[in-house]
Amino acid sequence: MQIQDLPYPDPGVPDARSGHRFLWWLFRNQLGGQLKSLAWGMLHFASVSALPFCVGLAIQAVVDRSGARLALAGGLLAVCCAGNALGDTFLHRTAVTNWITAAARVQQLLARKTAVLGSALTRRVAAGEVVAVSTGDVEKIGWFVEAVSRFTAAALTIVLVCVALVVYEPALGVVVILGLPVLALAVLPLLPRATRRADVQREKAGRATELASDTVAGLRVLRGIGGEELFLDRYRGASQEVRHAAVRSARMWSLISAIQVLLPGLLLVAVVWHGVHLAREGRIGVGELVTVYSSVMILTYPLRHFEEIAMAYSFSRPSATRAARVLALERATDTAGSRAAEVPAGDLYDPASGLLAPTGRFTAVVCGDPDAAGRLAERLGGHPSEQGESALLGGVPLDELPLQSARTAVLVQDKDPVLLSGTLRELLDVPASGAVAAQDALAAAQCGDVLAALTQGSVGADDPMDARVTERGRSLSGGQRQRLALARSLITDPEALVLDEPTSAVDSHTEARIADGVRTLRAGRTTVVFTSSPLLLDRADGVVFLHDGEVAAVGTHRELLHTEPRYRAVVTRETDEETAAHEERVPPAAGGPEQPPHGRSAPDGERTRKREKTPDDALLVDDDVLHRLEEIEETA
């Protein structure tokens, strides 16, 4: 795999049982790139390590006054330099390729897992942790994967050099071959402590990242309640903890680096001291002494890669563990589907709650518990994150369909949809039936002012579709983001569309127009809206009221206001005292006045008195007034 071939057609199925297994899986899936890096690394390190032999041969040729051997040494030296340059260049190239492709594979896996889990991901893993895994942790994992081949090449080179020294000059080679294992293993007792400190640093950094992400996401709310300084103080404290942990970790790694410099120096002193004695006794020549000395000095270069691989593993292991934890998450019904890929049609039914959304109708759902509403919306989309009975579309269990087919048949818009950065044209470029044009969807979602705001904020964008949408739509208001997300959902034109509080952040006048626009655009299609807005409820073909997770009443908005006190309490936001007062009243006979409480007869003077307005009356009056305002505006 080359960088220009990214992304992967299929990143594969990761072994997410542990961080170690995940790293090993990444290595195995890059075996070709690792072998290339190993080959170029061997050429590079072998060329560097052969330089002392060439220098020693040249010096001995000068001592022996041999021009032929001096020329041979010069030729070998040129070959080694060429091999060093070629090997170093392509080692760097292949190593960087391994790093980038490994990081890209992990990012693709995380993106695919995010798409599969949907809203269930952030309910099981903090959003900040997902951000930390997909950014900093990916780099650490890629670092270890690309460092493995360099370390292997360095280790093999050291073994070859030791064998060559023993063959070339046994008296000094034995000293080197006995001293090098001590150099390589001397830092092993310090690695567990360094690894623990690195783990603590990564953990604290992850918590600080999560805190920062959550603070930024809720910054507007924090400003509204004056909680900015509180959260900033918390982040400052978390940042200081990260700094202290990083300093403690750096101290340990600096100690390891010092040992890696000190011990080779001591070995070099020992080799020179012993070699001088051998040269005085005439047992070795000057060239041989220079060769062994230079070889030991050069070996400190590949030995450095022992420290690098230790650092890379220490930093990448907790990162790989975090990534594996996210990749190991599964939906409760995460299967390929036992049925063939199809898009069924018909009534949308949830057996767990008894909710029935007839095909081709606009059904509103009122649920007093927002969390229960979110779980029900997820069940209606098929493949929920929790075990339970599957929703049915046209009698077909959605969890038996492949995930792609289920999501094509039923589209669920979350309560807090995300807008990706890019142009408006790119934002609305989603899988769709083609029956709904972008302009029609934008008009139904009342996005006229949104288009004007985007055009003004984008320099040189004459066409609103070319206007830029900032990351998560932060330059737009909450209502504007909601309307763009609604337009995106309407463009897809699914068989069944489930909207969870799609107008909670817009004003009443705009909300009424959106209700009419959605009803008109979705005519003949199944639409389910979770809402408690009287404007949406009054325009629905039918309203379903859920209590304690089960269907408690079905009817129109106006019928349920008069017949279902619990429904009225949710829609009108009645207090307990107001609800109790309504329950105490005895409903009046048909066409007659309201009976006073406690069974007493009202005096004649009070029979003709105008009845006091109740919250449900206020809703109806306000609704009528709103319709009248719309008529006046259209006439004007």
Side-chain angles (χ1 to χ4, degrees), residues 50 69 186 258 291 325 375 408 418 489 491 529 540 546 555 579:
R69 281 190 293 165
T291 298
R325 188 186 309 129
R375 291 192 295 270
T408 301
V418 175
S489 299
I491 288 175
V529 180
L546 277 78
T579 303

Side-chain angles (χ1 to χ4, degrees), residues 391-533:
L392 308 176
L393 181 63
V396 177
L398 290 173
D399 65 355
E400 294 182 5
L401 293 173
L403 184 60
Q404 186 63 34
S405 298
R407 288 182 171 173
T408 301
V410 183
L411 174 66
V412 179
Q413 177 179 302
D414 294 332
K415 187 175 302 182
D416 186 21
V418 175
L419 301 181
L420 302 178
S421 59
T423 65
L424 182 58
R425 193 185 310 277
E426 293 170 341
L427 177 69
L428 301 181
D429 184 16
V430 293
S433 66
V436 178
Q439 297 301 327
D440 296 335
L442 291 168
Q446 299 297 307
C447 292
D449 64 314
V450 183
L451 298 180
L454 289 175
T455 304
Q456 290 178 355
S458 299
V459 179
D462 297 329
D463 187 350
M465 297 299 290
D466 294 326
R468 299 288 302 179
V469 179
T470 56
E471 189 263 336
R472 296 183 68 91
R474 296 192 186 279
S475 61
L476 303 173
S477 67
Q480 290 174 327
R481 289 197 298 270
Q482 270 193 339
R483 283 177 279 162
L484 276 183
L486 176 59
R488 181 178 58 187
S489 299
L490 292 174
I491 288 175
T492 61
D493 189 36
E495 182 65 31
L497 176 61
V498 179
L499 305 172
D500 191 358
E501 294 288 354
T503 58
S504 59
V506 302
D507 60 84
S508 299
H509 189 71
T510 305
E511 188 176 31
R513 292 182 176 276
I514 290 175
D516 291 333
V518 172
R519 180 185 175 90
T520 302
L521 193 65
R522 292 286 299 171
R525 295 294 232 178
T526 305
T527 306
V528 180
V529 180
F530 287 82
T531 183
S532 59
S533 167

Side-chain angles (χ1 to χ4, degrees), residues 65-131:
R65 299 180 181 276
S66 173
R69 281 190 293 165
L70 183 61
L72 176 62
L76 292 176
L77 190 62
V79 171
C80 289
C81 290
N84 179 24
L86 186 65
D88 190 23
T89 300
F90 283 93
L91 171 62
H92 179 74
R93 180 185 179 90
T94 54
V96 170
T97 300
N98 289 336
W99 175 61
I100 293 178
T101 52
R105 186 188 296 272
V106 177
Q107 287 181 325
Q108 278 188 255
L109 291 171
L110 290 171
R112 178 173 295 187
K113 180 61 65 175
T114 302
V116 169
L117 292 176
S119 60
L121 176 62
T122 52
R123 288 202 294 269
R124 300 168 67 179
V125 180
E129 182 172 353
V130 178
V131 173

Side-chain angles (χ1 to χ4, degrees), residues 1-9 97 100-105 108:
M1 173 61 71
Q2 299 297 318
I3 296 177
Q4 62 264 25
D5 299 326
L6 294 175
Y8 288 94
T97 300
I100 293 178
T101 52
R105 186 188 296 272
Q108 278 188 255

